[in-house]
């Protein structure tokens, strides 16, 4: 009956897969958990058609949209000269060296990436979220990750842009705007110290940093991501800081991200099944 199946295939349109989107949140070195999650997704055969990201999430997202695997990305990290990297980590540093580094891996414009992609940054004048969907990829990533006062703002089309975490920390809403029917998002800062748990010196340092920060965190900077996501992964990275760069810590964060994604795979599959069912209802 193979001839009948072949005949039927001539008249039956193949079903389009549900457009699955990935929204990667901010968090500095905690971004290792993003790579762990990507490993779990790859093992499960999940691939994403739309990607958005903020700060470290934008860097991981752009690499994924370019075609890099989680293994490729861990290789990039392992080859970083950490001493040279640390030299550029100083107050009000220029993002140009980081742009040059990123240019080696994501050269060209955002529109040239293999997948639809957007990075989120924050306008230094209005404090609003700026969605970067075109222009030089490496520069867009530095704008999305320029956290003050450690880095100066990045000039972009007459605006000075800063880290997108202040205005849209987990851009699941942008991912949906780009066409995703189901959005999986990752919040790297779901488990953080409350002010009461911080020591006096840590609170004073935080206040000093705030005094030199030209932008403020919007009330919905995180909640908008939760509202738009179908599945929000929340790796427990409580014991780690955004600046934790030791090999042991990075390996641990990778594993935590991997386990969180593994545990949430049934929810992702359920969300995809629900989207397919909704499609049938609309026909």
């Amino acid at each position: 009956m193979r001839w009948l199946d072949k005949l039927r295939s001539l008249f039956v349109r193949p079903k389009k897969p549900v457009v699955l989107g990935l929204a990667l949140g901010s968090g500095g070195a905690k971004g290792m958990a993003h790579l762990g999650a990507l490993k779990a997704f790859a093992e499960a055969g999940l691939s994403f058609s739309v990607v958005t990201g903020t700060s470290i999430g934008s860097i991981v997202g752009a690499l994924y949209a370019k075609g890099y695997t989680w293994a490729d990305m861990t290789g990039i990290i392992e080859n970083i000269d950490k001493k040279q990297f640390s030299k550029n980590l100083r107050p009000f540093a220029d993002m140009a060296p980081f742009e040059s580094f990123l240019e080696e891996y994501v050269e060209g414009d955002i529109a040239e990436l293999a997948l639809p992609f957007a990075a989120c940054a924050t306008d230094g004048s209005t404090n609003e979220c700026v969605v970067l969907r075109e222009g030089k990829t490496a520069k867009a990533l530095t704008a999305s990750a320029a956290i003050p006062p450690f880095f100066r703002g990045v000039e972009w089309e007459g605006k000075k842009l800063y880290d997108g975490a202040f205005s849209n920390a987990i851009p699941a809403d942008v991912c949906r705007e780009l066409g995703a029917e189901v959005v999986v998002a990752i919040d790297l800062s779901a488990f953080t110290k409350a002010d009461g748990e911080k020591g006096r010196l840590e609170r004073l340092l935080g206040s000093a940093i705030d005094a030199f920060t030209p932008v403020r965190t919007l009330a919905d900077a995180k909640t908008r991501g939760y509202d738009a996501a179908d599945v929000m992964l929340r790796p427990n990275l409580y014991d780690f800081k955004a600046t934790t760069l030791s090999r042991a810590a990075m390996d641990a964060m990778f594993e935590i991200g991997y386990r969180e994604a593994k545990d949430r795979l049934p929810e992702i599959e359920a969300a995809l099944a629900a989207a397919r069912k909704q499609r049938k209802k609309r026909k």
Side-chain angles (χ1 to χ4, degrees):
M1 299 295 286
R2 287 183 180 178
W3 66 270
L4 187 58
D5 292 333
K6 288 182 180 180
L7 182 63
R8 188 181 294 113
S9 68
L10 296 174
F11 299 95
V12 178
R13 290 182 181 179
K15 294 179 180 178
K16 291 183 179 180
V18 171
V19 181
L20 182 59
L22 180 64
L24 301 173
S26 60
K30 295 179 184 180
M32 285 301 297
H34 285 328
L35 304 192
L38 289 178
K39 179 183 178 182
F41 296 146
E43 289 178 350
L46 284 178
S47 59
F48 298 88
S49 302
V50 178
V51 188
T52 57
T54 294
S55 198
I56 187 63
S58 72
I59 295 172
V60 174
L63 288 168
Y64 182 90
K66 180 75 174 179
Y68 289 93
T69 67
W70 67 268
D72 295 330
M73 294 183 218
T74 55
I76 292 171
I77 292 170
E78 288 172 359
N79 289 327
I80 291 175
D81 184 336
K82 291 183 174 59
K83 287 186 178 180
Q84 187 62 38
F85 183 82
S86 298
K87 287 180 181 179
N88 294 310
L89 293 177
R90 60 186 186 278
F92 307 107
D94 191 339
M95 292 295 283
F98 297 96
E99 181 180 338
S100 297
F101 171 77
L102 291 168
E103 184 71 23
E104 296 179 28
Y105 302 98
V106 287
E107 73 286 348
D109 291 349
I110 293 173
E112 296 170 352
L113 294 172
L115 298 175
F117 170 78
C120 288
T122 303
D123 190 321
S125 297
T126 65
N127 218 127
E128 295 175 336
C129 176
V130 178
V131 179
L132 306 174
R133 294 186 57 185
E134 55 186 22
K136 192 176 179 182
T137 305
K139 188 167 187 177
L141 301 183
T142 60
S144 181
I147 184 167
F150 303 105
F151 299 108
R152 294 203 293 267
V154 174
E155 297 290 338
W156 184 281
E157 297 181 353
K159 300 176 181 178
K160 186 163 284 189
L161 302 184
Y162 293 91
D163 197 300
F166 293 97
S167 55
N168 196 344
I170 318 161
D173 55 334
V174 177
C175 196
R176 199 169 291 282
E177 289 169 6
L178 262 61
E181 296 174 84
V182 172
V183 179
V184 176
I186 304 179
D187 180 5
L188 298 178
S189 303
F191 298 88
T192 55
K193 285 184 180 180
D195 287 339
E197 297 179 76
K198 297 177 181 178
R200 183 170 178 272
L201 182 60
E202 191 174 1
R203 292 198 302 271
L204 287 172
L205 180 60
S207 297
I209 289 174
D210 287 344
F212 289 97
T213 301
V215 285
R216 294 289 178 267
T217 302
L218 299 181
D220 66 344
K222 280 186 66 172
T223 56
R224 63 192 292 178
Y226 274 79
D227 291 342
D230 293 284
V231 181
M232 179 67 74
L233 275 60
R234 303 172 76 244
N236 190 341
L237 303 170
Y238 178 87
D239 293 327
F240 306 94
K241 297 180 180 179
T243 53
T244 305
L245 296 173
S246 72
R247 180 59 184 266
M250 294 177 80
D251 287 346
M253 289 187 283
F254 180 95
E255 183 64 20
I256 290 169
Y258 175 79
R259 291 299 169 193
E260 172 68 4
K262 271 279 197 185
D263 291 344
R264 305 294 295 280
L265 285 173
E267 292 177 53
I268 297 172
E269 292 295 347
L272 289 168
R276 294 186 196 102
K277 189 174 182 180
Q278 192 62 34
R279 271 187 181 181
K280 289 183 180 179
K281 285 184 179 179
R282 290 196 295 264
K283 290 182 179 179

